[in-house]
């Protein structure tokens, strides 16, 4: 009789152990707040970008590529699925919009060329090709110390093709 009770106790312990392995122990919301929305480089660049456009454009950040591009109607199903997956997986650093109607003027991505594994170090031909096909200027700005507002204005003016962004005079 004692053996039967001992076997039942062992079975209960084993069953409880197995059940616990299949059940989620954790909090259903295992999240904590990040210390900051931006890295120091992104925050610095955003401040300078906003100064460079001087209210001419509204600066949006971390926009999903699928939010600003849509697929043409005549795309076959296989290509539609592949392109949709790529569109939904890509995020853009900054998007410049016309403040009057929020139409997209240009896209700005920061590039880290310090290493081949760096953030967007290698040009993404899907991204640049998609923006070229859609007629949206795509500006890739290298991350570097010592950017000036005039540098950013010149880079934007070169891609946007407008004289609306006049570079700040350089003081020596």
């Amino acid at each position: 009789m004692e053996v039967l009770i001992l076997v039942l106790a062992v079975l209960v312990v084993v069953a409880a152990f197995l059940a616990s392995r299949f059940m989620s122990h954790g909090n259903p919301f295992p999240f904590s707040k990040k210390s900051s929305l931006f890295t120091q480089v992104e925050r610095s660049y955003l401040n300078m970008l906003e100064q460079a456009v001087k209210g001419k454009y509204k600066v949006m950040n971390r926009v999903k590529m699928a939010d600003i591009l849509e697929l043409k109607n005549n795309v076959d199903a296989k290509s539609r699925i592949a392109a949709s997956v790529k569109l939904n997986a890509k995020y853009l650093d900054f998007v410049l919009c016309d403040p009057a109607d929020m139409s997209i003027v240009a896209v700005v991505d920061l590039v880290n060329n310090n290493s081949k594994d760096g953030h967007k170090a290698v040009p993404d031909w899907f991204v640049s090709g998609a923006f070229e096909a859609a007629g949206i200027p795509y500006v890739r700005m290298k991350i570097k110390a010592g950017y000036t507002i005039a540098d950013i204005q010149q880079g934007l003016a070169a891609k946007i093709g407008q004289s609306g962004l006049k570079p700040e005079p350089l003081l020596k």
Side-chain angles (χ1 to χ4, degrees):
M1 182 82 163
E2 290 104 17
V3 172
L4 184 59
I5 293 174
L6 185 60
V7 168
L8 283 174
V10 169
L11 285 175
V12 168
V13 170
V14 169
F17 176 75
L18 290 175
S20 72
R21 299 304 258 163
F22 292 110
M23 294 176 61
S24 174
H25 288 305
N27 182 345
F29 304 105
F31 309 111
S32 64
K33 182 175 88 170
K34 286 186 173 183
S35 61
S36 178
L37 180 61
F38 297 104
T39 65
Q40 177 62 35
V41 171
E42 290 170 331
R43 188 171 48 250
S44 174
Y45 189 84
L46 175 61
N47 289 336
M48 290 180 32
L49 181 60
E50 287 175 337
Q51 290 175 31
V53 299
K54 295 182 183 174
K56 181 173 173 113
Y57 304 115
K58 183 89 171 162
V59 180
M60 309 303 288
N61 67 302
R62 291 201 181 124
V63 177
K64 190 184 292 189
M65 201 167 159
D67 291 337
I68 64 173
L69 294 178
E70 60 187 7
L71 295 169
K72 294 179 180 177
N73 292 331
N74 60 351
V75 178
D76 65 275
K78 185 177 179 181
S79 297
R80 179 174 291 281
I81 291 169
S84 293
V85 168
K86 288 180 182 177
L87 281 178
N88 281 303
K90 304 280 183 183
Y91 282 85
L92 309 163
D93 292 325
F94 303 102
V95 177
L96 302 181
C97 298
D98 185 326
D101 60 3
M102 293 305 286
S103 60
I104 295 136
V105 175
V107 173
V108 179
D109 265 340
L110 296 178
V111 180
N112 183 0
N113 280 346
N114 291 338
S115 70
K116 292 297 179 197
D117 298 330
H119 179 63
K120 298 178 186 175
V122 178
D124 187 333
W125 300 112
F126 174 78
V127 174
S128 57
F131 286 126
E132 186 175 330
I136 299 173
Y138 180 53
V139 182
R140 297 185 73 217
M141 300 286 285
K142 292 179 183 177
I143 296 173
K144 67 177 186 179
Y147 258 125
T148 65
I149 293 170
D151 293 335
I152 295 172
Q153 288 173 329
Q154 288 171 349
L156 292 175
K159 285 289 188 169
I160 295 174
Q162 295 183 22
S163 60
L165 291 173
K166 294 183 178 127
E168 296 270 328
L170 296 175
L171 301 175
K172 292 194 175 189

